[in-house]
């Protein structure tokens, strides 16, 4: 993998959404839009991968990450500002510079 600017987007549910009883149908639709947002970034060649811990809402260790390419930290923040889950307050996140010195991504499949 060539040297490039990588960023990790670390996401957690906003406190209200750690209780499944607080979810509405509209919230679930927004999470669908959130998934499509990442699919679209992948198709554009921006997203390397995204995923989450396989735990239920309310578990303290539930979080998601996405690793993607951007020209700068500012442009990375601008990309993620368009995430529907973040825009609608379902998830909160931070974006940090990321290095990938050891990788076997070609083995994913």
């Amino acid at each position: 993998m060539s040297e490039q600017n990588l960023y990790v987007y670390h996401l957690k549910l906003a406190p209200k959404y750690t209780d499944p009883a607080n979810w509405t149908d509209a919230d679930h639709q927004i999470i669908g839009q959130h998934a499509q947002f990442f699919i679209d970034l992948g198709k554009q060649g921006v997203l390397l991968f995204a995923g989450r811990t396989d735990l239920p809402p309310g578990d303290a260790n539930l979080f998601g990450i996405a690793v993607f390419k951007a020209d700068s930290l500012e442009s990375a923040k601008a990309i993620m500002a368009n995430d529907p889950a973040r825009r609608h307050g379902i998830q909160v996140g931070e974006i940090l510079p990321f290095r990938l010195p050891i990788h076997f991504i070609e083995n994913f499949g």
Side-chain angles (χ1 to χ4, degrees):
M1 187 173 291
S2 63
E3 194 65 30
Q4 52 194 321
N5 294 325
L6 298 178
Y7 297 89
V8 63
Y9 182 33
H10 181 260
L11 290 160
K12 291 194 95 148
L13 289 172
K16 171 184 174 181
Y17 295 98
T18 61
D19 181 350
N22 292 331
W23 285 75
T24 66
D25 289 341
D27 296 328
H28 287 286
Q29 288 177 358
I30 291 166
I31 291 300
Q33 295 167 11
H34 162 78
Q36 187 61 52
F37 172 76
F38 283 107
I39 290 167
D40 292 344
L41 288 177
K43 289 178 180 177
Q44 295 166 21
V46 174
L47 180 71
L48 276 73
F49 64 87
R52 57 165 270 205
T53 54
D54 193 13
L55 300 167
D59 190 298
N61 292 310
L62 175 63
F63 67 90
I65 61 167
V67 175
F68 63 98
K69 300 180 273 185
D71 294 331
S72 66
L73 182 58
E74 294 76 23
S75 61
K77 288 179 179 180
I79 291 168
M80 290 304 120
N82 289 316
D83 177 358
R86 189 172 179 159
R87 279 196 339 257
H88 291 277
I90 295 172
Q91 295 180 328
V92 294
E94 60 183 339
I95 299 162
L96 301 164
F98 189 74
R99 275 196 258 167
L100 193 62
I102 301 168
H103 56 87
F104 297 95
I105 293 178
E106 62 270 6
N107 294 334
F108 284 2

